[in-house]
Amino acid sequence: MTAAPEIDDATLVTASRDRPERFTDVYDRHFPVIHRYVAGRLGAQAAEDVVAETFLAAFRRRDTFDPAKGDVRPWLFGIATNLVAQHRRAETRRYRALSRLAPEPDAGGYEDRVATAVSAARMRPSLARALAGLSSKERDVVLLVALAELSHQEIATVLGIPFGTVGSRLNRARRKLRAALAPTQGE
């Protein structure tokens, strides 16, 4: 007996117009990645509220979803990014606060895993400071790549910008991040 083929997201959103309970499948499929993205931007506590707002807004707007304009995933990330923009002051304050944290002391000796964890912990304040120094548009692109793992085309759809603008913002942001992090590389 073969399993029934999985229903694609666009079909689920369309079906949820007449059968609202079908939207639960969209939520179940995309909650983890949307949550990870928002938590990376605003912290775990704020993420719960923003992700709930994201799916509530998507549910309310499901009648306006047009599969011809793109997939459900970028649509949801677009809603989440707009809601994050409303929380941007908190995000900037969070990055500034993280940049003031002292690096954690070396825990000493469990080979590469420990060395990697310690290096990452030491880099966190510098990275937070560097991210806070980006423009909001640059930060959106960088974090959609890093946290949401979206393609350039998906980011263009999410932000409503041309494909080429995604690349130029990302390149500019990467240059700024490299320059801001360069002095900490030798520490």
Side-chain angles (χ1 to χ4, degrees):
M1 181 176 221
T2 59
E6 187 172 300
I7 299 172
D8 68 88
D9 293 336
T11 302
L12 286 172
V13 172
T14 302
S16 75
R17 293 173 183 163
D18 295 325
R19 296 180 49 215
E21 69 276 4
R22 293 308 306 253
F23 199 81
T24 303
D25 293 330
V26 174
Y27 174 88
D28 290 342
R29 286 182 187 178
H30 296 285
F31 175 85
V33 295
I34 299 294
H35 187 272
R36 184 179 66 230
Y37 168 67
V38 175
R41 300 284 308 259
L42 301 174
Q45 190 171 15
E48 295 298 323
D49 292 336
V50 173
V51 173
E53 289 176 51
T54 298
F55 282 97
L56 180 60
F59 180 78
R60 288 180 176 158
R61 297 180 198 162
R62 70 191 189 280
D63 289 340
T64 64
F65 174 73
D66 182 1
K69 292 183 179 178
D71 293 329
V72 170
R73 189 170 179 239
W75 178 63
L76 291 170
F77 276 109
I79 294 169
T81 299
N82 288 335
L83 291 170
V84 165
Q86 295 173 13
H87 292 81
R88 192 155 282 156
R89 285 188 195 132
E91 176 188 43
T92 300
R93 282 193 304 271
R94 178 173 178 262
Y95 284 131
R96 287 193 178 124
L98 284 172
S99 75
R100 292 188 295 271
L101 291 176
E104 295 178 13
D106 281 341
Y110 296 117
E111 307 285 334
D112 291 336
R113 211 172 90 211
V114 171
T116 301
V118 169
S119 294
R122 287 180 183 224
M123 182 61 84
R124 183 180 297 154
S126 299
L127 180 58
R129 189 172 25 258
L131 286 168
L134 296 177
S135 74
S136 60
K137 291 178 180 182
E138 293 165 341
R139 195 168 40 243
D140 283 344
V141 171
V142 166
L143 295 176
L144 282 166
V145 168
L147 299 176
E149 300 177 357
L150 295 182
S151 70
H152 282 51
Q153 186 58 54
E154 289 173 319
I155 294 169
T157 301
V158 166
L159 299 177
I161 59 176
F163 178 86
T165 302
V166 172
S168 63
R169 284 185 189 171
L170 187 57
N171 287 335
R172 190 169 42 252
R174 284 178 174 160
R175 267 195 315 276
K176 288 179 180 180
L177 289 172
R178 274 194 294 276
L181 296 173
T184 63
Q185 299 297 320
E187 293 179 1

